[in-house]
């Protein structure tokens, strides 16, 4: 198991390096000058050139890449200078004449536009997005599993037909449409009854200047994000359950004299969960990467909005930081899902 | 076979005894509502199913599944219930009950799984135990062990057992009374001795006759049609029984020794068609962390033999002995580790892709499971036509259709079957379709991998006869793989007994059967259920 996890980690790091290389190349090839974008309309050539040089944008791609990889690697090599020490907060491991080998937290650089540390900006946006994604997937799981199991319980009944039709609609509606409809209906028309806001963040300041959580502001965006996962989970659960319910061991369970509820939930559902886990994990990772449309509609300043704004401004460090973070999320979730598969189904347990 | 639904519908309108020996009022189970039926299941009426591989839930341990049944019907705390499970496991002769208790179904063998099922069925001392083909999916040796176990338990527990099977040989070993069903009706019932010695109904006779006998060589197997005729009378199909006895029919089909001798000399006079030299197929088991295999499962380990043109080479052994892997390795459906397979002067293991494609025309395989080896979304016409298309034989669609219809006729199927889908056919018919598909390219050499193992005995006889007819008609050469020694003996000119990836014994079937050289072969032969018929020689 340990060997397995280590191997996964090694593959994961390789994926991260590839992500950096690919994204950097795309940005490098684009006919835009990030240095110029930092200044706005009026700026003279010399200033832009100077900026370009401080940002290292005038170097060839491989040099830029090498330096970036060195910056994000926890084990890296830097010039030993007080400036670098303040910048990287490193622990020196081994010194030589022209530098120092260090252990440090990955350094994601500063935003071109805002001058803030990218890691700080991420730290601000990620918890919001995480909360949103978790709520959305949680809602989707509860509703989707329930609908799927009930639909499979009596296939072709009115309930089954209803659940299937609803899920088809759910799959076809883009998230920005459901977001706007939900915002309009519950946040605007029905605002007096629901008390929900069209826009708003989960964190806010109250009248005394303290941080407060506005949990209600989570509900509508989470619902909007959850619509499609609900539909997909319903369909997957339903079809997997229908397969499993015709298996011999379900017959055995019934022959034992177990009640239908125990047969379905204990014996059948756990066997039907694998495709659901696959789908949910993909969606969850996707949601963690940020849901731009929904965040935009509800003015929810999460990772999605951060990424898209950075892209519009060619704020390369932010883009790279956000994409890297997303890649890490995907790698981690994949490993978790593999472990989860083994828990659900002992036949695929690693090393078993 | 219709009794599979017994526990759901239960058409047993019988009275059954309680433990004290008093008689309960008869309960009409058919009219019993589901809610009241449930407590009876497993407690009074338990069931064992056909396929132990799929009858246990793969995500729970064996122990917890039996425990669940016990706790449902008896008020026992967890420790005592657990002890009861361990006792039961010991009683069904499972080795190391503690280990099996914690094991998941995929970690134990098929026979062990069936023992777990039996333990589960017995857990609440049922009055009636319904066993639906409990040994059909198992090896003969395992089957024998399970049957012995069930006979013991029957005596010990004083439970009534309803044993459902298509195999009369098994019935002879276990039953007291027999009910014979045909087309949804009971056609005969009586004590097991009477059924075997004085069968009244023609269908019973055909069942007794169609199992391949181990002590005589037959030209073909008797089938139901030898005993029952269907005629149109007043526009209705009516059954007409033929007045023939089992013994007469068998005698009629018997091969004389001279015929057998003649066939052998004819076959052995030619050059071998296939020569397998020191073939090894190993599958990686453990891998080092960098992915290189460290240990191997030696599925086929140094096997050499020859097959002559027109010959049928039988291949027999328990599951896991490597016989299926051997068949697939010859066809290069598996990656082999070393060895040579010479077919008509070419080493198949060193052919390139194009040469291999040509070879596939000549060498075909018929798989075990006719249910899963046909694509459910393809009409059978298309399925049989596909190999013709792949190999670019018969360019015109009309010609291909013609050929497919011809093939359908060869395997006794009707032209109107062309447009139908696999689910519309019975198991025996599907296996015919697979045979037709294998024949489409005019092969010279066919590997039959457990091709009749999934079929009922009476259907099996028909398919075996068909394979024999085709062998004569098209001068085919077979490698016939089966775990059933009697089937292999009936089909083969020579046979190989395999064990642990190696050849245990090779020779003439009657020599192997009468004078087995190896203990392993002897064990296989002793395990064949043979019934009472031959012993009494009626």
């Amino acid at each position: 198991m340990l060997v397995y996890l280590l191997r996964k980690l090694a593959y994961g790091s390789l994926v991260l390096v590839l992500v950096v290389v690919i994204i950097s190349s795309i940005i490098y090839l684009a006919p835009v000058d990030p240095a110029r974008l930092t200044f706005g309309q009026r700026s003279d050539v010399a200033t832009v050139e100077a900026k370009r040089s401080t940002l290292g944008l005038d170097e060839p791609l491989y040099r830029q890449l090498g330096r970036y990889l060195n910056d994000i690697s926890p084990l890296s090599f830097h010039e030993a200078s007080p400036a670098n020490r303040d910048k990287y907060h490193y622990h020196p491991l081994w010194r030589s004449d022209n530098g120092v080998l260090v252990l440090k937290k990955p350094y994601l650089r500063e935003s071109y536009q805002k001058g803030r540390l990218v890691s700080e900006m991420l730290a601000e946006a990620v918890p919001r997005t995480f909360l949103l994604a978790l709520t959305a997937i949680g809602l989707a799981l509860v509703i989707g599993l329930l609908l799927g199991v009930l639909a499979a319980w009596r296939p072709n009944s009115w309930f089954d037909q209803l659940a299937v039709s609803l899920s088809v609609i759910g799959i076809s509606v883009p998230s920005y449409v459901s977001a706007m409809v939900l915002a309009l209906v519950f946040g605007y028309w029905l605002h007096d009854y629901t008390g929900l806001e069209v826009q708003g963040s989960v964190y806010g300041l109250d009248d005394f200047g303290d941080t407060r959580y506005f949990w209600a502001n989570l509900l509508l965006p989470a619902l909007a994000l959850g619509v499609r996962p609900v539909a997909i989970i319903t369909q997957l659960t339903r079809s997997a359950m229908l397969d499993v319910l015709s298996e011999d061991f379900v017959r055995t369970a019934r022959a034992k004299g177990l009640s239908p509820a125990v047969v379905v939930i204990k014996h059948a559902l756990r066997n039907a969960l694998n495709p659901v886990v696959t789908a949910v994990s993909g969606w969850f990772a996707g949601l963690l990467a940020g849901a731009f449309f929904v965040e935009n509609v509800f003015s929810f300043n999460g990772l999605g909005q951060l990424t898209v704004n950075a892209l519009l401004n060619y704020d390369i460090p932010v883009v790279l930081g956000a994409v890297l973070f997303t890649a890490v999320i995907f790698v981690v979730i994949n490993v978790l899902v593999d472990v989860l598969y083994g828990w659900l189904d002992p036949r695929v347990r690693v090393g078993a | 076979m219709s009794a599979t639904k017994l526990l759901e519908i239960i058409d047993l309108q019988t009275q059954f005894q309680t433990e004290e020996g008093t008689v309960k009022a008869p309960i009409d189970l058919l009219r019993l509502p589901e809610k009241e039926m449930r407590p009876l299941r497993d407690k009074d009426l338990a069931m064992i199913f056909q396929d132990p591989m799929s009858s246990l839930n793969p995500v729970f341990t064996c122990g917890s599944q039996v425990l669940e049944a016990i706790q449902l019907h008896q008020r026992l705390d967890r420790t005592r219930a657990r002890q009861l499970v361990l006792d039961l496991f010991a009683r069904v002769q499972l080795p190391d009950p503690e280990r099996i208790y914690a094991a998941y179904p995929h970690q134990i063998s098929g026979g062990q799984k069936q023992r777990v099922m039996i333990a589960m069925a017995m857990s609440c001392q049922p009055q009636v135990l319904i066993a639906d083909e409990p040994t059909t999916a198992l090896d003969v040796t395992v089957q024998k062990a399970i049957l012995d176990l069930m006979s013991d338990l029957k005596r010990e527990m004083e439970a009534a057992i309803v044993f459902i099977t298509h195999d009369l040989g098994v019935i002879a070993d276990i039953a007291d009374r027999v009910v014979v069903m045909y087309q949804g009706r009971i056609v005969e019932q009586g004590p097991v001795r009477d059924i075997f010695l004085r069968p009244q109904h023609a269908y019973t006779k055909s069942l007794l006759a169609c199992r391949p006998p181990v002590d005589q060589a037959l030209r073909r197997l008797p089938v139901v049609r030898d005993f029952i005729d269907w005629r149109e009378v007043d526009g209705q199909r009516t059954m007409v029984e033929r007045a023939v006895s089992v013994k007469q029919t068998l005698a009629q089909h018997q091969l004389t020794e001279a015929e057998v001798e003649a066939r052998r000399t004819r076959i052995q006079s030619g050059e071998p068609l296939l020569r397998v030299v020191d073939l090894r197929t190993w599958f990686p088991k453990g891998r080092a962390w960098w992915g290189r295999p460290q240990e191997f499962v030696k599925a086929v380990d140094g096997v050499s033999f020859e097959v002559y043109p027109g010959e049928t080479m039988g291949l027999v052994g328990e599951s896991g002995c490597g016989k299926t892997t051997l068949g697939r390795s010859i066809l290069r459906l598996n990656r082999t580790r070393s060895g040579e397979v010479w077919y008509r002067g070419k080493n198949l293991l060193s052919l390139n892709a194009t040469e291999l494609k040509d070879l596939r025309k000549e060498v075909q395989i018929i798989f075990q499971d006719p249910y899963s080896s046909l694509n459910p979304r393809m009409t059978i016409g298309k399925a049989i036509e596909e190999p013709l298309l792949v190999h670019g034989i018969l360019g015109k669609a009309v010609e291909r259709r013609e050929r497919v219809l011809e093939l359908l006729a060869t395997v006794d199927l009707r032209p109107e079957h062309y447009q139908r889908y696999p689910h519309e056919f019975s198991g025996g018919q599907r296996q015919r379709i697979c045979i037709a598909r294998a024949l489409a390219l005019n092969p010279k050499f066919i590997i039959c991998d457990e091709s009749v193992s999934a079929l009922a005995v009476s259907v099996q006889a028909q398919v075996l006869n068909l394979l024999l007819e085709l062998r004569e008609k098209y001068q085919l050469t077979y490698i016939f793989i089966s775990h059933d020694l009697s089937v292999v003996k009936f089909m083969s000119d020579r046979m190989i007994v395999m064990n642990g990836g190696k050849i245990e014994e090779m020779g003439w079937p009657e020599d192997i059967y009468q004078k087995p050289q190896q203990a392993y072969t002897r064990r296989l032969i002793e395990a064949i259920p043979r019934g009472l018929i031959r012993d009494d020689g009626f």
Side-chain angles (χ1 to χ4, degrees):
Chain A
M1 189 69 198
L2 192 71
V3 171
Y4 168 79
L5 284 179
L6 284 176
R7 197 186 310 157
K8 278 271 166 186
L9 262 176
Y11 283 135
S13 327
L14 199 68
V15 168
L16 297 186
V17 171
L18 277 175
V19 165
V20 171
V21 172
I22 291 169
I23 301 291
S24 308
S25 315
I26 293 174
I27 296 174
Y28 186 82
L29 289 174
V32 182
D33 184 357
R36 205 186 146 70
L37 280 172
T38 55
F39 290 107
Q41 294 296 320
R42 279 177 298 164
S43 57
D44 58 299
V45 179
T47 326
V48 173
E49 277 304 319
K51 184 78 186 174
R52 190 176 292 145
S53 147
T54 39
L55 293 178
L57 291 171
D58 49 353
E59 290 178 24
L61 176 64
Y62 71 92
R63 289 285 296 274
Q64 291 189 38
L65 251 176
R67 289 201 300 131
Y68 187 75
L69 288 174
N70 194 38
D71 273 2
I72 60 166
S73 164
L75 189 72
S76 54
F77 192 78
H78 298 283
E79 256 175 60
S81 69
N84 267 352
R85 176 176 310 206
D86 286 350
K87 190 166 145 194
Y88 296 115
H89 301 286
Y90 55 62
H91 300 282
L93 290 178
W94 178 76
R95 285 170 200 286
S96 79
D97 293 342
N98 38 6
V100 55
L101 186 73
V102 304
L103 203 62
K104 67 168 194 321
K105 279 193 211 159
Y107 177 68
L108 294 174
R109 304 195 170 171
E110 289 172 355
S111 158
Y112 292 169
Q113 291 287 324
K114 305 217 164 91
R116 291 177 64 199
L117 282 172
V118 173
S119 46
E120 259 175 36
M121 296 169 75
L122 284 178
E124 212 173 271
V126 165
R128 294 179 193 155
T129 301
F130 188 73
L131 210 57
L132 182 61
L134 208 62
T135 321
I137 281 294
L139 279 174
L141 261 179
V142 172
I143 302 173
L145 284 177
L146 205 67
L147 286 179
V149 168
L150 289 177
W153 191 303
R154 302 238 182 285
N156 301 321
S157 62
W158 65 268
F159 183 84
D160 180 31
Q161 312 250 355
L162 184 74
V164 170
S165 327
L166 281 180
S167 64
V168 168
I169 297 173
I171 289 175
S172 354
V173 175
S175 60
Y176 49 88
V177 174
S178 47
M180 285 192 281
V181 170
L182 282 170
L184 185 68
V185 174
F186 294 102
Y188 186 72
W189 288 345
L190 298 178
H191 174 77
D192 293 344
Y193 304 100
T194 59
L196 296 171
E197 307 289 338
V198 172
Q199 303 202 320
S201 181
V202 176
Y203 305 96
L205 299 178
D206 64 8
D207 300 341
F208 304 100
D210 295 327
T211 317
R212 259 189 64 191
Y213 298 100
F214 298 94
W215 295 116
N217 282 341
L218 206 56
L219 192 61
L220 287 183
L223 275 178
L225 276 182
V227 168
R228 299 182 83 185
V230 164
I232 286 166
I233 292 170
T234 306
Q235 297 252 350
L236 283 174
T237 311
R238 178 182 175 272
S239 64
M241 281 297 280
L242 284 179
D243 280 350
V244 172
L245 283 175
S246 62
E247 295 261 358
D248 288 349
F249 60 79
V250 170
R251 195 178 52 188
T252 309
R254 299 214 305 126
K256 274 186 206 172
L258 294 170
S259 69
V262 177
V263 172
V264 167
I265 290 162
K266 184 177 170 191
H267 284 269
L269 185 58
R270 196 163 144 193
N271 278 284
L273 278 183
N274 262 1
V276 179
V277 167
T278 313
V280 167
S281 65
W283 272 97
F284 186 53
L287 289 184
L288 280 181
F292 173 70
F293 288 124
V294 173
E295 287 185 8
N296 196 21
V297 170
F298 292 98
S299 289
F300 201 92
N301 287 314
L303 194 59
Q305 213 152 14
L306 184 75
T307 315
V308 173
N309 287 339
L311 270 171
L312 291 175
N313 295 321
Y314 268 79
D315 200 342
I316 298 171
V318 180
V319 173
L320 277 175
V323 173
L324 260 183
F325 174 78
T326 310
V328 170
I329 290 288
F330 269 91
V331 170
V332 169
I333 285 191
N334 267 325
V335 174
L336 284 182
V337 165
D338 278 348
V339 175
L340 198 60
Y341 282 148
W343 178 75
L344 281 174
D345 189 343
R347 284 168 299 180
V348 299
R349 231 160 251 183
V350 188
Chain B
M1 249 169 264
S2 61
T4 325
K5 292 213 149 189
L6 226 49
L7 260 194
E8 290 159 46
I9 317 160
I10 301 255
D11 48 12
L12 277 176
Q13 297 177 352
T14 88
Q15 46 195 29
F16 41 84
Q17 299 226 287
T18 61
E19 282 123 76
E20 295 85 48
T22 52
V23 179
K24 267 188 197 166
I27 308 172
D28 185 349
L29 294 171
L30 266 184
R31 302 221 176 85
L32 207 60
E34 171 72 16
K35 266 224 168 76
E36 289 169 46
M37 184 69 221
R38 223 183 291 142
L40 290 183
R41 292 203 180 119
D42 210 42
K43 190 160 176 294
D44 292 326
L45 302 154
M47 188 145 185
I48 304 169
F49 297 103
Q50 170 164 13
D51 190 354
M53 314 299 162
S54 57
S55 295
L56 287 169
N57 194 331
V59 304
F60 296 111
T61 59
C62 297
S64 71
Q65 296 190 48
V66 182
L67 191 78
E68 186 183 32
I70 291 177
Q71 288 193 312
L72 188 70
H73 298 288
Q74 302 174 34
R75 298 197 171 280
L76 284 178
D77 62 72
R78 211 183 151 78
T79 5
R80 283 185 52 203
R82 185 173 185 277
Q83 193 50 50
L84 188 59
V85 176
L86 292 175
D87 291 348
L88 280 168
F89 280 1
R91 248 172 96 189
V92 295
Q93 292 150 29
L94 278 166
D96 197 356
E98 289 277 353
R99 183 178 66 83
I100 302 278
Y101 187 94
Y104 288 98
H106 71 279
Q107 292 167 329
I108 61 178
S109 72
Q112 289 174 335
K113 270 179 243 187
Q114 199 58 299
R115 282 170 199 269
V116 171
M117 283 299 290
I118 294 174
M120 188 189 294
M122 288 178 12
S123 61
C124 300
Q125 282 111 31
Q127 311 290 308
V128 181
L129 181 63
I130 300 161
D132 179 12
E133 305 253 12
T135 58
T136 308
L138 304 172
D139 277 332
V140 262
T141 46
V142 184
Q143 163 169 296
K144 185 167 187 328
I146 296 281
L147 289 178
D148 289 348
L149 174 69
M150 289 186 71
S151 313
D152 289 352
L153 294 175
K154 180 178 74 176
R155 268 192 297 279
E156 235 175 88
M157 305 203 358
E158 296 182 341
I161 298 182
V162 180
F163 196 101
I164 304 162
T165 180
H166 67 266
D167 190 345
L168 269 178
V170 174
I171 286 286
D173 286 352
I174 191 144
D176 301 315
R177 286 194 310 129
V178 183
V179 173
V180 182
M181 282 184 79
Y182 182 53
Q183 303 201 324
R185 291 216 180 87
I186 291 178
V187 292
E188 187 168 359
Q189 55 180 319
V192 67
R193 237 187 114 71
D194 289 357
I195 295 283
F196 274 88
L197 297 182
R198 283 177 294 280
Q200 300 301 313
H201 193 273
Y203 181 68
T204 315
K205 291 182 197 166
S206 71
L207 281 185
L208 287 170
C210 67
R211 199 169 202 291
V214 278
D215 51 3
Q216 44 189 302
L218 296 185
R219 194 170 293 113
R220 57 177 281 266
L221 286 170
V223 291
V224 179
R225 249 186 261 169
D226 290 328
F227 295 87
I228 298 176
D229 224 3
W230 287 95
R231 288 210 198 104
E232 297 271 334
V233 178
D234 306 331
Q236 274 203 323
R237 269 163 63 83
T238 19
M239 193 169 72
V240 182
E241 301 186 18
R242 290 188 189 169
V244 280
S245 79
V246 175
K247 205 175 169 187
Q248 282 169 349
T249 322
L250 284 175
Q252 204 184 326
H253 295 317
Q254 185 144 20
L255 275 171
T256 61
E257 278 189 23
E259 280 173 304
V260 175
E261 245 352 278
R263 180 171 161 78
R264 278 182 189 165
T265 27
R266 197 179 71 228
I267 286 168
Q268 300 270 342
S269 62
E271 281 283 298
L273 183 70
L274 180 89
R275 202 151 58 80
V276 177
V277 186
D278 201 25
L279 189 70
R280 273 164 224 270
T281 306
W282 295 1
F283 297 113
K285 194 159 87 189
R287 283 175 190 275
W289 62 272
W290 60 91
R292 182 148 172 221
Q294 293 292 83
E295 282 176 89
F296 294 93
V297 176
K298 299 179 180 176
V300 177
D301 195 22
V303 167
S304 309
F305 63 92
E306 288 164 353
V307 184
Y308 292 91
E311 187 182 34
T312 301
M313 176 60 102
L315 202 55
V316 72
E318 290 174 288
S319 53
C321 75
K323 53 191 195 300
T324 293
T325 313
L326 176 59
R328 293 185 181 188
S329 300
I330 291 172
L331 283 180
R332 276 188 56 180
L333 296 173
N334 277 334
R335 188 177 290 217
T336 48
R337 188 172 173 87
S338 70
E340 294 157 24
V341 178
W342 293 93
Y343 177 82
R344 294 196 178 188
K346 280 185 212 152
N347 184 0
L348 302 190
L349 301 186
S350 60
L351 293 184
N352 64 30
T354 353
E355 290 170 320
L356 195 65
K357 196 176 161 192
D358 283 343
L359 170 91
R360 295 236 190 275
K361 267 186 262 180
E362 281 196 29
V363 186
Q364 286 287 318
I365 187 164
I366 303 168
F367 292 105
Q368 169 167 15
D369 187 354
Y371 293 89
S372 59
S373 52
L374 286 170
N375 184 341
R377 306 202 178 180
M378 220 186 233
T379 62
I380 67 147
K382 291 275 169 243
I384 301 174
E385 189 187 341
E386 199 181 24
L388 296 172
L389 273 173
V390 169
H391 287 275
I393 297 166
L394 302 179
K396 288 189 200 131
V398 192
E399 287 174 353
R400 283 199 303 270
R401 200 190 145 83
E402 197 77 350
R403 171 82 177 127
V404 171
L405 292 177
E406 189 188 312
L407 286 163
L408 281 177
T410 316
V411 296
D412 288 338
L413 290 170
R414 289 197 295 277
E416 62 261 34
H417 291 149
Y418 186 92
Q419 284 300 339
R420 300 206 187 147
Y421 288 90
H423 69 268
E424 297 172 66
F425 295 89
S426 68
Q429 284 175 321
R430 286 187 214 204
Q431 203 55 290
R432 285 163 195 277
I433 296 166
C434 292
I435 293 173
R437 180 173 60 180
L439 287 175
L441 297 168
N442 282 324
K444 287 272 154 283
F445 193 91
I446 298 183
I447 294 178
C448 305
D449 183 7
E450 299 269 14
S451 304
V452 294
S453 306
L455 306 176
V457 177
S458 53
V459 182
Q460 169 182 302
Q462 295 170 18
V463 174
L464 290 177
N465 285 342
L466 173 66
L467 285 171
L468 284 187
E469 278 165 34
L470 294 172
R471 182 175 78 184
E472 298 315 313
K473 195 165 162 192
Y474 297 108
Q475 310 292 311
L476 296 173
T477 306
Y478 290 133
I479 287 185
F480 191 88
I481 302 171
S482 176
H483 67 272
D484 189 335
L485 219 137
S486 46
V487 171
V488 169
K489 182 176 178 292
F490 166 71
M491 284 296 289
S492 317
D493 296 303
R494 281 188 305 149
M495 63 188 273
I496 292 173
V497 181
M498 267 187 91
N499 184 24
K502 293 194 164 71
I503 291 182
E504 236 359 94
E505 230 173 300
M506 172 156 54
W508 307 117
E510 67 271 15
D511 286 353
I512 290 190
Y513 180 69
Q514 278 153 11
K515 301 184 283 281
Q517 301 298 310
Q518 305 292 329
Y520 177 77
T521 320
R522 226 164 293 145
R523 215 153 50 77
L524 275 186
I525 291 167
E526 275 161 19
I528 304 174
R530 59 204 72 191
L532 308 158
I533 345 166
R534 323 278 175 226
D535 305 344
D536 292 76
F538 64 102

